[in-house]
Amino acid sequence: MTSKYQTEAKGYTMTTVMQEAARCLLCEDAPCSKACPAHTNPAKFIRSVRFRNIKGAAETIRENNALGAICARVCPTERYCESACTRAKIDHPIDIGGIQRYVTDMERKDNMQILHAGKPNGMSVAIIGSGPAGLQAATTLLQKGYAVDIYEKNAKAGGYLTYGIPEYRLPEAIVEYEVQRIVNLGANIKYNTTVGKDVTMADLKSHYNAVIVAIGASEAKTIPMFEYNICTESAISFLARAKESEGHLADLPDNVLVIGGGDVAMDVVTTLKKLGVAHVTDMVYEEFAEFKASKKELAGAQQAGVTIVDGYEPTDVHENKVTFKHRKIDSELTITADKIILAVSQKVNAAGLDIDVQHNEVPFREARFHTKDPKVFATGDIVKGDKTVVYAVQKGKKVAEEIDRVLGGQDND
Ligand SMILES: Cc1cc2nc3c(=O)[nH]c(=O)nc-3n(C[C@H](O)[C@H](O)[C@H](O)COP(=O)(O)OP(=O)(O)OC[C@H]3O[C@@H](n4cnc5c(N)ncnc54)[C@H](O)[C@@H]3O)c2cc1C
Ligand code: SF4
């Protein structure tokens, strides 16, 4: 039986997508287009939808985004395209993400082949990491005629698309489909291969014309007092286990305490409720007005029945008992739970890769993704900029274009 954890919200039908597209004002010099980090042009694809030209709409989406079906589901559109939408001044913004989902669902259903590999140019690139940044970089390079090998330490591709974002927001089947299209273009993914352990950076540098490091921030940060606490698990470990078990975790307790107030914390608490945990308490350092989580994710968690307490930080922990102190008022709380989950951000682990990582980011020159080694480039969450899927896509495309510029590929003839 499909559980709440596995059930994605329903998308538009042909009739309802037409109704939503009809609300679009088809603005001149559309502000929604300028506000997309990946430079997708919603005004153009919505116009195609209005003319029932779904293939044309899919072509517009795929121009700059190999992961259009994924971004349609997980992009924080309220921060990007929809925040700029002119229609918001009349009633509410156009549901750009929802229309993009309809178009890419039709693209998948009708097996449209929109992306094509370029004529081979005799050069090759190794990409370390198959998250969204690595996958987009691979796509752009394949379109320019490069041979591409992706080295991935896990058994599946996708990075946090596969091992982080919960199934009810991003079904694994969608990620698998997007990855398969990139494999069909010619990407060769070497699974279960950790660069720095199974293969050395020196090997890659000697075999390829360029190397891209797209390893993301794959390690959980912690709070020192929780480091060796046996009742504590990190958010990314819990979410990966929930996804891998398809929502059938064997060790689910009745009472879970979560610490953290960002979008990852909201994914943890909502997942716990969808899996049937009776009591979920989320203790958050920030006060409600300063919350890092998106309003949509916060509202979802509250609707699911999570108790969210703002403004408290942990001061002491003994096994499953945690004491918190309010940051501003004189108030102390002690909470006992069966399990504690820490959702206090992620950090980069570049062990064995011989690249410079400072303050959790690789310093790069001239916003062109070079590292100190002229053959090695960095992209995705490990470089400066927003840490979202759509930014990873933008940075993946840009690093590929920079490599093509440096190597003088066919586009530079
Ligand atoms: C729980 C969670 C929910 C999120 N929800 C959203 C959301 O709703 N919307 C949104 O826009 N963003 C979301 N994000 C952020 C988004 O997922 C990241 O910004 C994005 O995945 C970064 O892409 P990336 O390619 O840089 O890195 P990653 O996705 O982290 O991928 C890096 C890949 O590199 C591999 N790797 C690492 N080291 C090595 C090595 N030495 N050798 C070989 N392979 C290696 C890893 O296994 C991984 O597959 C979420 C993140 C998390 C954790
Ligand atoms: S800004 Fe809004 S109304 Fe204008 S073209 Fe974009 S989606 Fe349509």
Side-chain angles (χ1 to χ4, degrees):
M1 203 181 74
T2 312
S3 68
K4 276 189 191 170
Y5 174 74
Q6 291 168 294
T7 310
E8 189 188 18
K10 281 204 165 45
Y12 286 118
T13 62
M14 180 62 152
T15 309
T16 54
V17 83
M18 285 303 166
Q19 285 163 355
E20 186 60 13
R23 291 180 58 243
C24 174
L25 305 170
L26 303 178
C27 311
E28 272 293 295
D29 209 11
C32 57
S33 307
K34 292 189 187 140
C36 174
H39 308 297
T40 299
N41 189 338
K44 193 171 166 201
F45 78 70
I46 294 174
R47 187 187 296 271
S48 297
V49 170
R50 293 220 331 210
F51 284 103
R52 294 180 188 249
N53 176 6
I54 304 301
K55 178 136 195 266
E59 282 164 357
T60 300
I61 291 165
R62 294 295 175 184
E63 248 167 57
N64 293 309
N65 194 339
L67 305 177
I70 292 168
C71 283
R73 289 165 164 84
V74 304
C75 194
T77 47
E78 74 281 1
R79 267 161 61 189
Y80 302 134
C81 56
E82 289 175 21
S83 74
C85 177
T86 319
R87 182 81 209 202
K89 295 184 189 129
I90 302 172
D91 44 21
H92 54 95
I94 304 297
D95 179 11
I96 297 170
I99 299 176
Q100 180 163 323
R101 177 175 159 191
Y102 176 84
V103 172
T104 51
D105 281 352
M106 287 301 118
E107 179 197 18
R108 189 174 77 256
K109 188 169 154 279
D110 294 345
N111 199 19
M112 296 175 200
Q113 301 300 322
I114 289 172
L115 301 178
H116 300 284
K119 195 164 137 256
N121 65 11
M123 289 187 273
S124 61
V125 177
I127 300 176
I128 311 172
S130 68
L135 291 171
Q136 178 63 54
T139 306
T140 306
L141 287 165
L142 289 161
Q143 288 175 309
K144 291 179 183 295
Y146 291 83
V148 175
D149 287 340
I150 304 178
Y151 291 81
E152 171 51 58
K153 71 175 178 182
N154 284 324
K156 293 179 194 167
Y160 281 135
L161 307 175
T162 301
Y163 291 98
I165 304 179
E167 184 74 13
Y168 59 87
R169 291 208 292 123
L170 179 60
E172 200 174 334
I174 300 292
V175 180
E176 282 170 359
Y177 176 79
E178 299 272 71
V179 170
Q180 190 54 49
R181 287 156 44 102
I182 298 167
V183 169
N184 293 347
L185 271 189
N188 176 24
I189 308 182
K190 295 170 187 286
Y191 293 102
N192 299 308
T193 310
T194 303
V195 178
K197 197 174 111 205
D198 305 313
V199 185
T200 67
M201 195 67 157
D203 287 338
L204 298 188
K205 283 198 283 184
S206 67
H207 281 96
Y208 297 91
N209 297 90
V211 178
I212 300 176
V213 184
I215 56 173
S218 56
E219 204 171 288
K221 281 191 187 169
T222 186
I223 300 172
M225 72 180 91
F226 290 92
E227 208 163 348
Y228 301 105
N229 181 289
I230 51 161
C231 303
T232 302
E233 182 177 10
S234 74
I236 52 170
S237 155
F238 167 75
L239 289 169
R241 288 196 306 114
K243 207 145 182 192
E244 274 182 291
S245 67
E246 298 179 355
H248 298 290
L249 286 176
D251 59 345
L252 268 183
D254 276 349
N255 184 348
V256 181
L257 169 65
V258 179
I259 300 174
D263 284 327
V264 173
M266 295 305 123
D267 277 344
V268 171
V269 294
T270 309
T271 296
L272 286 164
K273 289 306 286 182
K274 283 186 188 279
L275 295 179
V277 175
H279 305 286
V280 180
T281 307
D282 186 17
M283 297 298 288
V284 183
Y285 178 84
E286 290 82 18
E287 292 187 325
F288 276 117
E290 350 160 291
F291 254 45
K292 290 188 181 146
S294 80
K295 288 196 172 55
K296 194 170 139 205
E297 298 302 323
L298 174 61
Q302 286 171 319
Q303 272 161 22
V306 178
T307 305
I308 302 180
V309 185
D310 65 329
Y312 282 83
E313 61 183 323
T315 53
D316 194 24
V317 56
H318 283 291
E319 293 182 353
N320 62 345
K321 196 189 272 191
V322 188
T323 303
F324 294 86
K325 198 171 160 303
H326 197 278
R327 285 165 53 216
K328 294 184 183 157
I329 55 174
D330 185 18
S331 163
E332 201 172 83
L333 275 176
T334 296
I335 298 179
T336 305
D338 302 327
K339 183 180 180 69
I340 302 160
I341 299 182
L342 273 194
V344 290
S345 191
Q346 289 74 242
K347 60 183 178 183
V348 177
N349 178 354
L353 295 186
D354 189 28
I355 55 163
D356 188 16
V357 178
Q358 298 167 7
H359 307 297
N360 217 24
E361 277 172 356
V362 176
F364 61 94
R365 273 196 290 122
E366 301 161 31
R368 282 177 162 172
F369 309 101
H370 291 254
T371 67
K372 61 182 182 185
D373 185 323
K375 230 178 170 182
V376 180
F377 296 75
T379 194
D381 269 7
I382 63 165
V383 300
K384 219 171 169 177
D386 277 17
K387 315 293 185 213
T388 58
V389 176
V390 71
Y391 262 94
V393 165
Q394 180 223 69
K395 293 173 195 170
K397 185 165 185 250
K398 281 192 176 170
V399 77
E401 287 170 347
E402 175 60 6
I403 288 175
D404 188 52
R405 189 189 69 79
V406 170
L407 296 180
Q410 60 190 19
D411 282 8
N412 296 307
D413 291 347

